[in-house]
């Protein structure tokens, strides 16, 4: 299996996550517009993977420039297109800001050298994300006791990152320590990232995974079958409030009620230094069709109104710790510069 995203001979290759686990299809993109569509339509998803895709999208846009191009105007056009794809994932904007800094620092070079620098920076973002996730795994693995059942929600694994995963990375690192671990994966309605992606990844890695529907978590907690919860994050405010896949908040409240530690695992690039609290995090509202249908078939009357927020915000008071590559942060949160 290739990683979720890879750069190959001036093309970006992605596994089509909409088709998993039934089909393993790889799609190639040669333009920044193609990458923007891939992000918007969830060919690639998961905050860190979206960040890597956006960086490669910018690189593809810049590589297409001809001499005599108004590069400032062209750069704005490319970033605006990519910015408009998914509003909640902080890593998208973080990666675009990094690409902008590289552009500004190198815009007076020859076009050929500027192109090289932009591609190098996108590659660095990918390589660093993998190393970051491995560090998150090392920092978090001791939080999982031997013999524990871990609940996770959505997919914060290798498909959602440049590799290894964040929440799933912590689980993998504990598994690699030789601990016997069982994972309960919430199915994660409506896009089914848990059922389709997390189960697929863990099964391939030889980690014991059990699929549950989203409404079962409370019951298993009450029965003492879950010892720890670990999820990823799409955006973290300065006070630790965390946006993640819709349903995460419910799981966090349930965990608190049952005295089960609830951890978030995420790279520092998911922390938004511009936001004081989670109330400021923009929440993406997706197509109602995702709720009305399963597998392309209506499960309700087509005219019934639907709400489909893709994320919710878990207040910091429910979070036992945020596991990052720099260590584990706890309340009161101070993520530093
Ligand atoms: O809508 P998605 O699939 O992009 O949402 C993904 C999540 O909510 C993940 O939990 C989060 O991005 C962390 S991925 C390491």
């Amino acid at each position: 299996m290739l990683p979720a995203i890879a750069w190959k001979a001036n093309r970006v290759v992605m596994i089509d996550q909409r088709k998993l686990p039934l089909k393993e299809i790889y799609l190639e993109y040669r333009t920044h517009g193609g990458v923007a569509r891939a992000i918007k339509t969830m060919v690639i998803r998961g905050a860190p993977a979206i960040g890597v895709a956006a960086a490669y999208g910018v690189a593809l846009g810049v590589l297409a420039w001809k001499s005599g191009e108004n590069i400032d105007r062209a750069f704005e056009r490319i970033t605006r297109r990519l910015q408009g794809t998914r509003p909640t994932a902080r890593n998208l904007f973080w990666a675009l800001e990094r690409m902008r800094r590289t552009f500004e620092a190198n815009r007076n070079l020859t076009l050929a050298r500027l192109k090289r620098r932009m591609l190098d920076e996108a590659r660095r973002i990918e390589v660093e994300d993998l190393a970051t996730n491995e560090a998150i795994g090392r920092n978090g693995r001791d939080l999982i006791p031997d013999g524990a059942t871990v609940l996770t929600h959505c997919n914060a694994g290798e498909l959602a990152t440049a590799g290894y995963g964040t929440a799933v990375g912590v689980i993998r690192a504990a598994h690699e320590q030789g601990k016997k671990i069982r994972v309960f994966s919430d199915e994660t309605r409506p896009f089914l990232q848990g059922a389709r992606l997390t189960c697929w990844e863990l099964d391939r890695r030889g980690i014991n995974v059990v699929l549950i529907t989203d409404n079962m978590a409370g019951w298993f907690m009450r029965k003492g079958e879950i010892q720890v919860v670990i999820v990823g994050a799409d955006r973290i405010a300065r006070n630790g409030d965390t946006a993640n896949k819709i349903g995460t908040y419910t799981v966090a409240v349930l965990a608190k009620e049952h005295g089960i530690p609830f951890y978030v695992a995420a790279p520092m690039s998911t922390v938004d230094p511009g936001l004081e609290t989670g109330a400021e995090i923009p929440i993406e509202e997706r197509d109602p069709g995702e709720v009305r249908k399963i597998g392309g078939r209506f499960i309700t009357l087509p005219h019934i109104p639907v709400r489909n927020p893709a994320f919710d915000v878990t207040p910091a008071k429910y979070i036992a710790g945020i596991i990052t590559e720099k260590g584990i942060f706890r309340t009161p949160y101070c993520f530093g510069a």
Side-chain angles (χ1 to χ4, degrees), residues 17 39 42 44-50 86 89 91 129 133 152-161 165-168 188 191 193 196-197 231-235 243-246 248 265-267 270 284 286 310-311:
Q17 299 196 27
I39 296 171
M42 311 273 278
I44 191 159
R45 30 67 49 201
I50 291 171
R86 300 208 57 198
N91 306 61
D129 186 60
N133 296 331
T152 191
H153 188 74
C154 193
N155 172 262
E158 53 202 297
L159 289 165
T161 61
T166 55
V168 171
T188 322
F191 210 73
Q193 289 94 331
R196 297 188 304 103
L197 308 177
V231 299
D234 286 85
R235 200 186 284 233
N244 192 49
K245 180 53 54 196
I246 190 77
T248 302
T270 304
E284 176 184 7
R286 291 188 62 84
F311 302 97

Side-chain angles (χ1 to χ4, degrees), residues 47-322:
I50 291 171
V52 174
Y56 278 136
V58 173
L60 280 175
V62 170
L63 286 181
W65 287 350
K66 307 268 184 312
S67 65
E69 182 106 35
N70 181 332
I71 59 172
D72 295 302
R73 212 173 327 135
F75 187 80
E76 293 313 322
R77 216 175 29 243
I78 293 166
T79 49
R80 221 175 309 119
R81 178 86 172 82
L82 288 157
Q83 261 166 12
T85 51
R86 300 208 57 198
T88 306
R90 166 65 190 153
N91 306 61
L92 168 67
F93 304 94
W94 170 87
L96 292 175
E97 283 159 21
R98 253 181 86 160
M99 295 304 282
R100 176 180 295 280
R101 283 197 295 276
T102 304
F103 172 67
E104 280 166 3
N106 296 287
R107 61 176 301 293
N108 293 323
L109 297 180
T110 63
L111 190 52
R113 291 185 70 194
L114 172 62
K115 288 180 178 180
R116 164 65 48 201
R117 295 278 165 92
M118 294 299 283
L119 178 55
D120 285 350
E121 184 67 0
R123 281 206 165 115
R124 243 189 314 270
I125 288 174
E126 181 194 338
V127 169
E128 286 174 14
D129 186 60
L130 176 58
T132 293
N133 296 331
E134 288 168 348
I136 290 171
R138 281 191 301 277
N139 290 340
R141 64 191 173 189
D142 291 341
L143 298 171
I144 303 182
D146 195 8
T149 293
V150 185
L151 175 71
T152 191
H153 188 74
C154 193
N155 172 262
E158 53 202 297
L159 289 165
T161 61
Y164 203 71
T166 55
V168 171
V170 173
I171 293 166
R172 275 177 70 174
H175 172 78
E176 285 159 17
Q177 282 180 310
K179 290 177 186 163
K180 289 218 171 330
I181 293 164
R182 180 172 66 157
V183 180
F184 275 4
S185 172
D186 279 342
E187 67 173 344
T188 322
R189 277 277 288 150
F191 210 73
L192 306 178
Q193 289 94 331
R196 297 188 304 103
L197 308 177
T198 302
C199 288
W200 183 74
E201 278 188 16
L202 291 173
D203 187 59
R204 288 168 70 103
R205 296 282 168 198
I207 299 173
N208 182 1
V209 60
V210 177
L211 174 63
I212 63 171
T213 65
D214 298 328
N215 50 356
M216 293 176 185
W219 176 241
F220 284 118
M221 287 181 186
R222 186 165 165 78
K223 293 212 312 163
E225 291 202 37
I226 294 169
Q227 282 70 50
V228 50
V229 181
I230 308 184
V231 299
D234 286 85
R235 200 186 284 233
I236 301 171
R238 285 207 304 272
N239 71 344
D241 291 352
T242 295
N244 192 49
K245 180 53 54 196
I246 190 77
T248 302
Y249 168 59
T250 317
V251 171
V253 174
L254 283 167
K256 182 115 183 156
E257 169 69 18
H258 293 91
I260 297 166
F262 174 96
Y263 293 103
V264 170
M268 293 299 290
S269 51
T270 304
V271 177
D272 189 338
L275 302 187
E276 199 176 324
T277 76
E280 298 160 68
I281 299 176
I283 299 295
E284 176 184 7
E285 185 97 23
R286 291 188 62 84
D287 179 357
E290 290 178 356
V291 175
R292 285 197 185 108
K293 294 179 193 167
I294 295 183
R297 288 178 167 228
F298 279 101
I299 55 159
T300 186
L301 297 170
H303 67 274
I304 300 293
V306 160
R307 291 295 309 275
N308 188 16
F311 302 97
D312 58 28
V313 177
T314 298
K317 68 175 181 180
Y318 294 106
I319 301 171
I322 299 181

